[in-house]
Amino acid sequence: MTEPNALVSLLRISSHLAGQVEIRAALRSVKAEIENLLPIDHMDVCLVDDKAAWNTSYEVGIKTRWSLSRTPVAISPVRSILLGETDFMLTGNAMEDERYTYEGALAQPIIKHKLRSRVNVAMKVLGRTIGALNCSSCLPDVYDESTVVRVRQIADVLSPYFYSLRANEKAKRAAVVRAEAQAREEGLRQGALELTRALEQERQRIGMDLHDQTLADLTRIMRDAEKMVSAADKAQVIDSIQHCIADLRRIIDTAVPTILDLFGFAHALRIHLERAVEDVAAVKLETVDETEGLIDTLDPTIRIALFRIAQEAINNAARHADADHISVTVKRLKAGLQMTIMDNGRGLTASGRSRQAGKATGGLAHMRTRARLIAAEFGMSHKDGTTVTVKLPLAGLSNQAPVSYSATEEPA
């Protein structure tokens, strides 16, 4: 039975704990009341993690190494309590008690600070041991069985409070870790977007330089070649230069998506489809824009990234998968916008070790990277051909950069 004075102290302990939001502060707030119930030179609370593998100590009184870092339960002087093997430990001289100073035990504070008398009681919540309340005196033989009863009463009051405070502490740490991870991811993504913008600007500069200088030079050379006497030589030179000009025009069109800017996403894709399969007979091409022009209002960097992904998927289908039907569909979803590129080709199977499939696989990495840079989901399947799906979240439909990313992909 609890004595009247002890009951008052326990009620005061409970009132001191009310409103506390931090474990060490809570322990300091009740230290004086506990000293009214029993003599202590050192007091600490050990709380174990969910798997009872590590414990964290919170101290008042003497400062020891126990509270400097987490400790494996296996070397704790009160491991028997933390592991649920006993409900309490009592000793008149812990410095000579092998239960506390066994080989490998973290008993240095006991020896250094001469914590002779010790009483340790399990702290439980819903029948599960969550830690131990440990009281020590530098004098020998201070505590007895009645002290164990009193410390158990204190532990019963402290346990639910400290359990809640520990849960709150863990939640705060997890929130901080998540926030830091999100900040790092957002910083990396923003940096990647800026890099993408810079690369696109550089591509456009190169394209304009090629158009203004290189093409002009080649055109002049072709005109000079037309004046050559030998018809055979002239024809050979002109043919080579024409091929060179055609290649340069393709480079320029790739570097500067002028058609995309002038005529919109769907028309630009149709032109690219035609160019991608210009040497392949009987290929059915189809483009569908179900967004009512929404895709052409996207942030230019995001729209260009979608265009590049579609280009790569079309190239893979036309040049590597022997597809005779390619379709590109862009539509609005409740969660954002979706672009789907489908073909009936061979897909990227285990034979992807071949030279052509190797190129297509490299293109797959580029598509996935571009999708990640604009915070879009990227998916690919290979049933009855290849289907590439890119889902842009709602955040990406404004002129502001998107803020989240997830990716799902079936094995290539």
Side-chain angles (χ1 to χ4, degrees):
M1 181 177 295
T2 305
E3 299 175 5
N5 290 340
L7 180 59
V8 171
S9 293
L10 292 175
L11 291 174
R12 287 177 178 170
I13 288 173
S14 182
S15 66
H16 286 311
L17 290 172
Q20 296 292 336
V21 296
E22 197 269 329
I23 294 177
R24 287 183 175 84
L27 194 58
R28 287 194 297 267
S29 73
V30 300
K31 177 177 181 290
E33 291 295 340
I34 294 176
E35 286 177 328
N36 289 334
L37 297 175
L38 67 154
I40 54 173
D41 293 313
H42 176 268
M43 182 174 67
D44 72 288
V45 169
C46 291
L47 299 178
V48 295
D49 61 13
D50 293 336
K51 296 181 180 180
W54 295 83
N55 72 270
T56 305
S57 294
Y58 305 87
E59 301 176 305
V60 290
I62 300 171
K63 183 76 172 181
T64 77
R65 62 178 298 185
W66 282 328
S67 62
L68 295 181
S69 63
R70 288 198 313 161
T71 303
V73 169
I75 64 172
S76 170
V78 292
R79 64 178 181 180
S80 297
I81 294 177
L82 300 180
L83 294 174
E85 298 171 355
T86 183
D87 283 341
F88 75 94
M89 296 171 65
L90 175 66
T91 184
N93 190 350
M95 297 174 63
E96 299 176 357
D97 192 326
E98 293 182 355
R99 294 178 299 167
Y100 295 89
T101 59
Y102 58 88
E103 184 178 356
L106 186 58
Q108 182 263 358
I110 294 176
I111 306 301
K112 178 179 178 180
H113 300 287
K114 297 180 174 57
L115 302 179
R116 294 182 174 85
S117 295
R118 301 203 78 207
V119 57
N120 318 95
V121 173
M123 300 176 68
K124 296 186 177 184
V125 172
L126 299 176
R128 183 173 70 87
T129 298
I130 64 163
L133 174 60
N134 311 299
C135 300
S136 303
S137 171
C138 296
L139 299 175
D141 302 315
V142 171
Y143 306 134
D144 56 19
E145 294 291 338
S146 64
T147 310
V148 174
V149 174
R150 186 153 294 176
V151 174
R152 181 174 285 123
Q153 292 170 344
I154 298 171
D156 289 343
V157 174
L158 298 182
S159 294
Y161 284 99
F162 279 57
Y163 180 77
S164 298
L165 291 175
R166 179 67 182 277
N168 183 59
E169 186 179 87
K170 290 167 61 178
K172 286 182 178 179
R173 283 201 301 267
V176 169
V177 170
R178 286 195 301 270
E180 290 176 348
Q182 290 172 356
R184 287 194 298 270
E185 177 72 16
E186 180 63 11
L188 290 172
R189 194 185 59 76
Q190 289 289 353
L193 278 175
E194 289 302 320
L195 177 60
T196 301
R197 290 189 179 98
L199 288 173
E200 289 297 336
Q201 291 172 356
E202 183 64 14
R203 288 163 69 97
Q204 292 185 26
R205 186 193 65 77
I206 293 172
M208 288 186 287
D209 287 347
L210 289 172
H211 180 273
D212 296 341
Q213 184 65 42
T214 309
L215 275 181
D217 291 343
L218 287 172
T219 301
R220 177 180 53 78
I221 293 171
M222 186 174 67
R223 288 173 181 169
D224 292 342
E226 289 175 348
K227 301 175 183 178
M228 296 178 66
V229 177
S230 171
D233 292 343
K234 181 173 64 176
Q236 182 177 358
V237 171
I238 292 175
D239 183 64
S240 298
I241 294 175
Q242 285 176 334
H243 277 92
C244 183
I245 291 174
D247 289 339
L248 283 173
R249 289 194 183 279
R250 279 194 291 270
I251 293 172
I252 292 169
D253 289 340
T254 300
V256 186
T258 308
I259 297 176
L260 176 62
D261 295 330
L262 294 177
F263 301 105
F265 194 86
H267 183 70
L269 279 182
R270 282 195 293 271
I271 297 299
H272 180 73
L273 280 166
E274 293 168 1
R275 290 176 177 174
V277 299
E278 60 186 357
D279 297 328
V280 181
V283 176
K284 183 179 179 181
L285 312 173
E286 181 182 7
T287 60
V288 180
D289 180 5
E290 299 179 358
T291 69
E292 299 180 349
L294 172 66
I295 192 166
D296 289 312
T297 68
L298 297 178
D299 178 276
T301 302
I302 295 175
R303 185 165 61 116
I304 290 174
L306 292 174
F307 184 68
R308 300 296 185 202
I309 293 171
Q311 280 184 315
E312 192 64 54
I314 291 165
N315 291 343
N316 288 344
R319 300 173 184 174
H320 308 304
D322 296 330
D324 60 17
H325 183 277
I326 305 171
S327 68
V328 180
T329 303
V330 185
K331 62 182 178 180
R332 179 72 181 267
L333 303 175
K334 290 182 179 180
L337 181 146
Q338 176 175 302
M339 179 176 69
T340 305
I341 305 100
M342 300 179 64
D343 70 71
N344 63 348
R346 291 182 286 104
L348 302 179
T349 62
S351 62
R353 299 183 184 89
S354 69
R355 181 179 178 183
Q356 288 185 336
K359 294 179 181 178
T361 303
L364 172 61
H366 295 160
M367 289 189 288
R368 187 190 304 115
T369 300
R370 290 186 186 277
R372 181 173 185 179
L373 290 179
I374 60 173
E377 291 184 16
F378 179 86
M380 174 176 282
S381 63
H382 302 288
K383 183 178 181 181
D384 299 326
T386 298
T387 300
V388 173
T389 303
V390 181
K391 293 182 180 179
L392 187 68
L394 285 170
L397 300 186
S398 66
N399 287 330
Q400 297 179 350
V403 296
S404 62
Y405 165 71
S406 61
T408 56
E409 179 182 342
E410 297 180 16

